[in-house]
Amino acid sequence: MSRKAILVTGGAGYIGSHVVRQLGEAGERLVVLDNLSTGFAEAVLYGELVVGDSGDRELVSRLLSEHDIDTVMHFAAHLVVPESVEKPLKYYGNNTCNTRNLLECCAEAGVKHFIFSSTAATYGIPEGGIATEETPTAPINPYGTSKLMSEWMLRDLSAVTDLKHVILRYFNVAGSDPEGRTGQRTPNATLLIKVACETAVGKRDSISIFGTDYPTKDGTGVRDYIHVEDLARAHLDALTYLRQGGESTLVNCGYGHGYSVREVLDAVQRVNGKALNIVEQPRRAGDPPQLIAGAEKIRKLFGWKPQYDDLEFIVKTSLDWERQQLSDTT
Ligand code: UD1
């Protein structure tokens, strides 16, 4: 009997496209739904790409039944924190309302498994800078709240249906496929490693450090950077867990240790072999001093084994990708 298909929303985006590639390599049957507002058709290397919204009930219901789908992986979302503060309803509309519609279609179609991209932003500013899955959620921006509301809908729906879910709370995702097939294409990106690598290859003049007076090891912000390939693997592990009858659950996705902004920039300079033009700036609004994952649960429950827990390797794959992008456009 042929295996049922997986619907991947947002599969043309940064993280989604890496997961689609790994699922495709594993022989899964895939339908990718993406409105291409921030994704790229050429990033989808496996499956059928359908251009549309994950909140379009008619379209989603048709896809679920026509393709015999029993699993949904939901990546489609807006994710820029400062923008979510400026335009909260855009975030509640796309992230929360569309997820509600998607879940309604899943319930009607009897979808069995749902894997949801959530975020460490649901924790806000955790005490001590480390968040385990038991840490109370207290988002400090509409982005985090929009994702937390989706988590709650999913939890409440699973409680009264046969749907089983895994919520993955991502920490700071970085890096690219080491073989250069997928990477982070986002224009005007704000993420530290992306911006630093764009600076290293000459796409930007300088890189700013936002805040040098934090109560951290060197005064700059500390984050738990996870390689996108390891994060993608966590989705396949979550799928195996659900297929083996695992109960609905929630796990952090991080390595369990952090690097400061200065440590990241030092790594970029070492890997690139050249100094960066670094400008020290005041703190950026809404940034917690430190955010590190309590990351035991994912290893224990899924047997997840990260392969790329190495800052220089993360930076190297990001730099390689930027160089490749540059040579593609020149
Ligand atoms: C990222 C994610 C957010 C997630 C969070 C989890 C995106 C757009 N953001 O946010 O969704 O909830 O991880 O931890 O996906 N920095 C600089 N200079 C720069 C850019 C950043 O100094 O040019 C500093 C920031 O102040 C911060 C650190 O680098 O201390 C990381 O920032 P960034 O890469 O933007 O990620 P987060 O804001 O942590």
Side-chain angles (χ1 to χ4, degrees), residues 227-287:
H227 195 286
V228 67
E229 283 289 288
D230 281 334
L231 179 68
R233 186 61 55 191
H235 294 73
L236 276 77
D237 292 345
L239 180 61
T240 304
Y241 165 85
L242 288 173
R243 282 180 176 162
Q244 289 172 347
E247 288 301 321
S248 293
T249 194
L250 176 161
V251 297
N252 283 345
C253 296
Y255 291 139
H257 57 84
Y259 293 101
S260 70
V261 176
R262 284 195 205 282
E263 286 172 330
V264 169
L265 298 186
D266 284 348
V268 173
Q269 298 183 104
R270 268 196 314 278
V271 174
N272 195 41
K274 260 198 295 198
L276 290 169
N277 182 13
I278 298 173
V279 183
E280 295 188 3
Q281 304 259 27
R283 294 181 182 194
R284 195 172 65 174
D287 275 347

Side-chain angles (χ1 to χ4, degrees), residues 79-81 119-121 143 170-172 190-193 195 207-210 221-223 225 261 284 287-288 291:
L79 47 81
V80 181
V81 171
T119 169
Y143 167 66
Y170 308 159
F171 283 66
N172 286 59
T190 55
L191 292 177
L192 177 66
I193 294 183
V195 175
I207 168 96
S208 297
I209 298 182
F210 296 131
V222 172
R223 297 288 185 277
Y225 295 93
V261 176
R284 195 172 65 174
D287 275 347
L291 194 53

Side-chain angles (χ1 to χ4, degrees), residues 8-23 34 38-39 43 73-77 79 116-119 143 147 168-176 182-186 191 226-236 253:
V8 185
T9 76
Y14 170 45
I15 300 167
S17 64
H18 285 81
V19 175
V20 164
R21 209 201 67 247
Q22 288 193 9
L23 289 168
D34 199 303
T38 53
M73 293 195 183
H74 183 35
F75 296 91
L79 47 81
F116 179 58
S117 299
S118 191
T119 169
Y143 167 66
K147 287 283 187 173
L168 299 171
R169 286 189 179 151
Y170 308 159
F171 283 66
N172 286 59
V173 190
S176 287
T182 41
Q184 194 176 12
R185 294 169 198 260
T186 329
L191 292 177
I226 173 173
H227 195 286
V228 67
E229 283 289 288
D230 281 334
L231 179 68
R233 186 61 55 191
H235 294 73
L236 276 77
C253 296

Side-chain angles (χ1 to χ4, degrees), residues 150-207:
S150 298
E151 289 189 8
W152 289 341
M153 288 189 291
L154 186 52
R155 182 196 61 193
D156 293 345
L157 182 66
S158 296
V160 292
T161 63
D162 291 335
L163 184 74
K164 297 272 191 273
H165 69 259
V166 172
I167 293 166
L168 299 171
R169 286 189 179 151
Y170 308 159
F171 283 66
N172 286 59
V173 190
S176 287
D177 167 31
E179 292 182 38
R181 294 161 296 182
T182 41
Q184 194 176 12
R185 294 169 198 260
T186 329
N188 310 316
T190 55
L191 292 177
L192 177 66
I193 294 183
K194 170 88 176 159
V195 175
C197 291
E198 287 182 352
T199 311
V201 301
K203 266 170 91 174
R204 298 184 191 233
D205 296 335
S206 63
I207 168 96

Side-chain angles (χ1 to χ4, degrees), residues 80-101:
V80 181
V81 171
E83 187 193 41
S84 80
V85 178
E86 298 284 312
K87 299 176 182 166
L89 297 184
K90 176 175 174 181
Y91 278 69
Y92 292 120
N94 191 35
N95 295 2
T96 314
C97 299
N98 282 352
T99 300
R100 184 226 164 260
N101 287 355

